[in-house]
Amino acid sequence: MRAALYDRFGAPDVLYVGAVPAPEIAPDQVLVRVRTTSVNGGELAARAGKVRLVTGRRFPQRLGIDFVGEVTEVGSSVTGIAPGRRVWGVLGRSLGAAADYVAVHPRKIAPAPANLSDAEAVSLLAGGTTAMTALRDKARLQPGERLLVRGGSGGVGSVAVQIGALLGARVTALAGAGNLDFVRDLGAAEALDHRTHRPSDLGRYDVVLDTVGTEQRAYRRLLAPGGRMVAIAFDLDRIGASLGYIAGSAVHGAQRVRFFSGNPTTSQLAELARHAEAGSIRPVVDTLRPFDEIADAHRALEAGGVRGKHVLQLT
């Protein structure tokens, strides 16, 4: 089968679509024919070698964490799922969804939203589950609270703005100048250019959601009494210092920085699908490219200014 691969760390040029053996499922797994996948920020860091302590140095390495597709085979111990079902899923803390087929446990998938195309669905998937976990479960965002979203137009931020508004918060989104009207349309009460508004120019917030990872100390200072900061990224140019600051916040100061790695379950995927089908959360596809243009998708995400997700079409 086809899979997105790279044989060394580096720029997007190291990426290629090559041939690998198709996966064989275990009795408790299903096989999914992948139709679409998206490009996520963590994959850029992995490809560049910035998290090689996690990914290791064995090549070729794989890409892709989310997918929409069709179940083609069911393990002997799996019940309640039949071939032909259209599903969406997130691999969690592993990579490999950027391929024709993926073997996955049923707890990692759910029926895909019926009202969304494959491209629309996958653009909402990883960002949506991450934003839901960050705001509802980690920050426990309440109606009337003030929420600041860094990276408000990106894959996570564009959904976080919507979820924040859905939960009744007053949302301020930081984004590029060309995306301010876009994030307002998503539900932000206030949209600010991150290039001209420094942390010292901002007010106080009950919750700060950081999808960028830099200047964590400065943004943490914006928290009101009882405020919560959730970080889903860290400074890739200062990894040790960034992770050390997050860990240290748990014991130094009243306002701990909450950090987590997304690993959604069937119930979370199903809940996100219900919101999508109700129209309360909408997907945002920045670009849709054929699978063999994965390097171009990585270049586009690295260039910045993204609205939602860059999506790759496999079938």
Side-chain angles (χ1 to χ4, degrees), residues 2-313:
R2 297 175 302 163
L5 306 168
Y6 56 102
D7 296 327
R8 65 186 188 281
F9 298 124
D13 292 344
V14 303
L15 298 176
Y16 66 97
V17 175
V20 300
E24 296 184 4
I25 61 171
D28 63 346
Q29 290 182 317
V30 299
L31 188 67
V32 177
R33 175 68 185 270
V34 177
R35 295 176 179 172
T36 54
T37 187
S38 76
V39 179
N40 295 275
E43 297 173 72
L44 272 59
R47 185 214 70 228
K50 293 185 176 182
V51 289
R52 65 187 70 186
L53 291 177
V54 177
T55 63
R57 298 170 179 267
R58 294 185 62 183
F59 295 102
Q61 293 198 15
R62 302 276 297 274
L63 290 168
I65 65 170
D66 51 15
F67 58 91
V68 174
E70 180 181 334
V71 175
T72 60
E73 187 179 347
V74 177
S76 58
S77 66
V78 174
T79 59
I81 301 176
R85 175 176 292 184
R86 180 173 175 258
V87 297
W88 66 351
V90 179
L91 294 184
R93 300 185 181 98
S94 61
L95 298 174
D100 284 324
Y101 292 92
V102 60
V104 62
H105 194 280
R107 66 174 175 268
K108 296 290 186 183
I109 60 173
N115 63 324
L116 300 185
S117 69
D118 295 336
E120 290 171 332
V122 84
S123 76
L124 183 60
L125 189 47
T129 54
T130 300
M132 285 176 58
T133 300
L135 296 181
R136 188 190 59 192
D137 303 334
K138 301 296 182 180
R140 300 189 183 278
L141 182 67
Q142 300 298 309
E145 289 193 314
R146 295 156 295 175
L147 166 66
L148 176 67
V149 179
R150 293 190 70 197
S153 67
V156 177
S158 63
V159 191
V161 168
Q162 298 181 69
I163 292 175
L166 185 64
L167 292 174
R170 177 178 174 80
V171 182
T172 297
L174 290 174
N179 286 329
L180 299 184
D181 287 339
F182 167 68
V183 294
R184 289 190 191 99
D185 187 54
L186 292 176
E190 185 177 35
L192 303 175
D193 184 349
H194 69 88
R195 294 183 179 88
T196 59
H197 288 79
R198 305 301 306 149
S200 57
D201 301 325
L202 305 176
R204 296 287 180 177
Y205 299 91
D206 301 293
V207 174
V208 173
L209 175 60
D210 179 16
T211 75
V212 181
T214 58
E215 299 182 275
Q216 293 162 334
R217 190 184 304 273
Y219 282 95
R220 186 186 178 196
R221 293 194 185 107
L222 303 181
L223 292 176
R228 294 86 70 199
M229 180 171 171
V230 182
I232 64 162
F234 50 85
D235 190 339
L236 292 172
D237 293 323
R238 302 172 63 247
I239 292 177
S242 183
L243 290 177
Y245 178 71
I246 292 171
S249 75
V251 293
H252 295 290
Q255 294 152 324
R256 179 171 64 88
V257 179
R258 297 155 173 84
F259 182 85
F260 71 97
S261 176
N263 194 25
T265 62
T266 294
S267 62
Q268 292 170 308
L269 297 169
E271 181 180 3
L272 182 62
R274 288 193 294 271
H275 282 299
E277 290 174 341
S280 54
I281 299 175
R282 73 177 194 257
V284 182
V285 178
D286 189 306
T287 62
L288 175 61
R289 291 180 169 86
F291 188 33
D292 60 3
E293 294 181 10
I294 185 171
D296 291 333
H298 273 237
R299 291 187 193 97
L301 185 56
E302 285 187 337
V306 62
R307 292 187 176 186
K309 281 297 188 73
H310 294 291
V311 176
L312 298 169
Q313 183 89 43

